PDB file of all heavy atoms in Angstrom:
ATOM      1  N   VAL G  66      -9.227 -14.229 -13.487  1.00 98.00           N
ATOM      2  CA  VAL G  66      -9.392 -12.849 -13.950  1.00 98.00           C
ATOM      3  C   VAL G  66      -9.287 -12.891 -15.463  1.00 98.00           C
ATOM      4  O   VAL G  66      -8.328 -13.442 -15.996  1.00 98.00           O
ATOM      5  CB  VAL G  66      -8.275 -11.944 -13.369  1.00 98.00           C
ATOM      6  CG1 VAL G  66      -8.322 -10.560 -14.002  1.00 98.00           C
ATOM      7  CG2 VAL G  66      -8.379 -11.857 -11.848  1.00 98.00           C
ATOM      8  N   ARG G  67     -10.297 -12.323 -16.138  1.00 98.00           N
ATOM      9  CA  ARG G  67     -10.230 -12.277 -17.596  1.00 98.00           C
ATOM     10  C   ARG G  67     -10.139 -10.818 -18.032  1.00 98.00           C
ATOM     11  O   ARG G  67     -10.793  -9.963 -17.442  1.00 98.00           O
ATOM     12  CB  ARG G  67     -11.474 -12.926 -18.220  1.00 98.00           C
ATOM     13  CG  ARG G  67     -11.619 -14.397 -17.843  1.00 98.00           C
ATOM     14  CD  ARG G  67     -12.642 -15.090 -18.710  1.00 98.00           C
ATOM     15  NE  ARG G  67     -13.986 -14.539 -18.549  1.00 98.00           N
ATOM     16  CZ  ARG G  67     -15.032 -14.925 -19.254  1.00 98.00           C
ATOM     17  NH1 ARG G  67     -14.897 -15.868 -20.191  1.00 98.00           N
ATOM     18  NH2 ARG G  67     -16.228 -14.396 -19.061  1.00 98.00           N
ATOM     19  N   ALA G  68      -9.336 -10.556 -19.036  1.00 98.00           N
ATOM     20  CA  ALA G  68      -9.150  -9.164 -19.449  1.00 98.00           C
ATOM     21  C   ALA G  68      -9.016  -9.054 -20.955  1.00 98.00           C
ATOM     22  O   ALA G  68      -8.394  -9.905 -21.591  1.00 98.00           O
ATOM     23  CB  ALA G  68      -7.902  -8.580 -18.783  1.00 98.00           C
ATOM     24  N   VAL G  69      -9.603  -7.980 -21.489  1.00 97.00           N
ATOM     25  CA  VAL G  69      -9.447  -7.650 -22.910  1.00 97.00           C
ATOM     26  C   VAL G  69      -8.828  -6.254 -22.959  1.00 97.00           C
ATOM     27  O   VAL G  69      -9.356  -5.317 -22.355  1.00 97.00           O
ATOM     28  CB  VAL G  69     -10.824  -7.646 -23.616  1.00 97.00           C
ATOM     29  CG1 VAL G  69     -10.683  -7.166 -25.051  1.00 97.00           C
ATOM     30  CG2 VAL G  69     -11.452  -9.013 -23.560  1.00 97.00           C
ATOM     31  N   GLY G  70      -7.732  -6.118 -23.655  1.00 96.00           N
ATOM     32  CA  GLY G  70      -7.091  -4.797 -23.794  1.00 96.00           C
ATOM     33  C   GLY G  70      -7.361  -4.252 -25.185  1.00 96.00           C
ATOM     34  O   GLY G  70      -6.881  -4.819 -26.164  1.00 96.00           O
ATOM     35  N   LEU G  71      -8.151  -3.186 -25.274  1.00 95.00           N
ATOM     36  CA  LEU G  71      -8.578  -2.711 -26.595  1.00 95.00           C
ATOM     37  C   LEU G  71      -7.420  -2.198 -27.438  1.00 95.00           C
ATOM     38  O   LEU G  71      -7.488  -2.187 -28.657  1.00 95.00           O
ATOM     39  CB  LEU G  71      -9.639  -1.617 -26.447  1.00 95.00           C
ATOM     40  CG  LEU G  71     -10.919  -2.068 -25.709  1.00 95.00           C
ATOM     41  CD1 LEU G  71     -11.954  -0.971 -25.727  1.00 95.00           C
ATOM     42  CD2 LEU G  71     -11.475  -3.352 -26.332  1.00 95.00           C
ATOM     43  N   ASP G  72      -6.355  -1.770 -26.783  1.00 90.00           N
ATOM     44  CA  ASP G  72      -5.197  -1.301 -27.564  1.00 90.00           C
ATOM     45  C   ASP G  72      -4.226  -2.417 -27.883  1.00 90.00           C
ATOM     46  O   ASP G  72      -3.173  -2.180 -28.462  1.00 90.00           O
ATOM     47  CB  ASP G  72      -4.471  -0.177 -26.806  1.00 90.00           C
ATOM     48  CG  ASP G  72      -5.311   1.065 -26.742  1.00 90.00           C
ATOM     49  OD1 ASP G  72      -6.141   1.241 -27.655  1.00 90.00           O
ATOM     50  OD2 ASP G  72      -5.174   1.841 -25.782  1.00 90.00           O
ATOM     51  N   TRP G  73      -4.505  -3.597 -27.421  1.00 88.00           N
ATOM     52  CA  TRP G  73      -3.563  -4.706 -27.633  1.00 88.00           C
ATOM     53  C   TRP G  73      -4.271  -5.883 -28.307  1.00 88.00           C
ATOM     54  O   TRP G  73      -4.061  -7.045 -27.948  1.00 88.00           O
ATOM     55  CB  TRP G  73      -2.970  -5.146 -26.292  1.00 88.00           C
ATOM     56  CG  TRP G  73      -2.302  -4.029 -25.553  1.00 88.00           C
ATOM     57  CD1 TRP G  73      -1.121  -3.437 -25.863  1.00 88.00           C
ATOM     58  CD2 TRP G  73      -2.772  -3.357 -24.372  1.00 88.00           C
ATOM     59  NE1 TRP G  73      -0.823  -2.444 -24.967  1.00 88.00           N
ATOM     60  CE2 TRP G  73      -1.816  -2.365 -24.036  1.00 88.00           C
ATOM     61  CE3 TRP G  73      -3.904  -3.478 -23.549  1.00 88.00           C
ATOM     62  CZ2 TRP G  73      -1.958  -1.533 -22.924  1.00 88.00           C
ATOM     63  CZ3 TRP G  73      -4.047  -2.646 -22.463  1.00 88.00           C
ATOM     64  CH2 TRP G  73      -3.080  -1.672 -22.162  1.00 88.00           C
ATOM     65  N   GLY G  74      -5.182  -5.600 -29.222  1.00 86.00           N
ATOM     66  CA  GLY G  74      -5.962  -6.676 -29.856  1.00 86.00           C
ATOM     67  C   GLY G  74      -7.156  -6.959 -28.950  1.00 86.00           C
ATOM     68  O   GLY G  74      -7.189  -6.515 -27.823  1.00 86.00           O
ATOM     69  N   HIS G  75      -8.118  -7.710 -29.476  1.00 81.00           N
ATOM     70  CA  HIS G  75      -9.349  -7.888 -28.689  1.00 81.00           C
ATOM     71  C   HIS G  75      -9.442  -9.288 -28.077  1.00 81.00           C
ATOM     72  O   HIS G  75     -10.503  -9.747 -27.723  1.00 81.00           O
ATOM     73  CB  HIS G  75     -10.572  -7.584 -29.558  1.00 81.00           C
ATOM     74  CG  HIS G  75     -10.733  -6.113 -29.821  1.00 81.00           C
ATOM     75  ND1 HIS G  75     -11.915  -5.444 -29.641  1.00 81.00           N
ATOM     76  CD2 HIS G  75      -9.841  -5.165 -30.230  1.00 81.00           C
ATOM     77  CE1 HIS G  75     -11.743  -4.161 -29.941  1.00 81.00           C
ATOM     78  NE2 HIS G  75     -10.498  -3.984 -30.313  1.00 81.00           N
ATOM     79  N   GLU G  76      -8.296  -9.964 -27.976  1.00 90.00           N
ATOM     80  CA  GLU G  76      -8.287 -11.326 -27.415  1.00 90.00           C
ATOM     81  C   GLU G  76      -8.560 -11.294 -25.916  1.00 90.00           C
ATOM     82  O   GLU G  76      -8.100 -10.389 -25.229  1.00 90.00           O
ATOM     83  CB  GLU G  76      -6.886 -11.950 -27.595  1.00 90.00           C
ATOM     84  CG  GLU G  76      -6.462 -12.145 -29.016  1.00 90.00           C
ATOM     85  CD  GLU G  76      -7.358 -13.110 -29.744  1.00 90.00           C
ATOM     86  OE1 GLU G  76      -7.457 -14.264 -29.267  1.00 90.00           O
ATOM     87  OE2 GLU G  76      -7.976 -12.715 -30.751  1.00 90.00           O
ATOM     88  N   ILE G  77      -9.244 -12.299 -25.409  1.00 95.00           N
ATOM     89  CA  ILE G  77      -9.397 -12.403 -23.947  1.00 95.00           C
ATOM     90  C   ILE G  77      -8.153 -13.105 -23.388  1.00 95.00           C
ATOM     91  O   ILE G  77      -7.788 -14.191 -23.827  1.00 95.00           O
ATOM     92  CB  ILE G  77     -10.653 -13.203 -23.548  1.00 95.00           C
ATOM     93  CG1 ILE G  77     -11.927 -12.481 -24.021  1.00 95.00           C
ATOM     94  CG2 ILE G  77     -10.703 -13.409 -22.033  1.00 95.00           C
ATOM     95  CD1 ILE G  77     -13.225 -13.086 -23.546  1.00 95.00           C
ATOM     96  N   GLU G  78      -7.478 -12.440 -22.450  1.00 97.00           N
ATOM     97  CA  GLU G  78      -6.335 -13.044 -21.736  1.00 97.00           C
ATOM     98  C   GLU G  78      -6.820 -13.366 -20.327  1.00 97.00           C
ATOM     99  O   GLU G  78      -7.716 -12.675 -19.821  1.00 97.00           O
ATOM    100  CB  GLU G  78      -5.189 -12.045 -21.633  1.00 97.00           C
ATOM    101  CG  GLU G  78      -4.609 -11.610 -22.952  1.00 97.00           C
ATOM    102  CD  GLU G  78      -3.575 -12.586 -23.486  1.00 97.00           C
ATOM    103  OE1 GLU G  78      -3.171 -13.503 -22.736  1.00 97.00           O
ATOM    104  OE2 GLU G  78      -3.184 -12.446 -24.654  1.00 97.00           O
ATOM    105  N   SER G  79      -6.202 -14.342 -19.664  1.00 98.00           N
ATOM    106  CA  SER G  79      -6.680 -14.626 -18.314  1.00 98.00           C
ATOM    107  C   SER G  79      -5.600 -15.230 -17.434  1.00 98.00           C
ATOM    108  O   SER G  79      -4.559 -15.679 -17.924  1.00 98.00           O
ATOM    109  CB  SER G  79      -7.890 -15.549 -18.358  1.00 98.00           C
ATOM    110  OG  SER G  79      -7.478 -16.851 -18.723  1.00 98.00           O
ATOM    111  N   PHE G  80      -5.853 -15.205 -16.132  1.00 98.00           N
ATOM    112  CA  PHE G  80      -4.960 -15.850 -15.156  1.00 98.00           C
ATOM    113  C   PHE G  80      -5.739 -16.103 -13.875  1.00 98.00           C
ATOM    114  O   PHE G  80      -6.847 -15.570 -13.704  1.00 98.00           O
ATOM    115  CB  PHE G  80      -3.729 -14.969 -14.876  1.00 98.00           C
ATOM    116  CG  PHE G  80      -4.047 -13.648 -14.215  1.00 98.00           C
ATOM    117  CD1 PHE G  80      -4.027 -13.514 -12.817  1.00 98.00           C
ATOM    118  CD2 PHE G  80      -4.384 -12.525 -14.965  1.00 98.00           C
ATOM    119  CE1 PHE G  80      -4.314 -12.302 -12.217  1.00 98.00           C
ATOM    120  CE2 PHE G  80      -4.666 -11.309 -14.361  1.00 98.00           C
ATOM    121  CZ  PHE G  80      -4.633 -11.198 -12.981  1.00 98.00           C
TER     122      PHE G  80
END
Side-chain angles (χ1 to χ4, degrees):
V66 172
R67 299 193 297 176
V69 174
L71 300 186
D72 291 333
W73 304 288
H75 287 230
E76 297 297 301
I77 296 187
E78 297 276 350
S79 72
F80 65 92

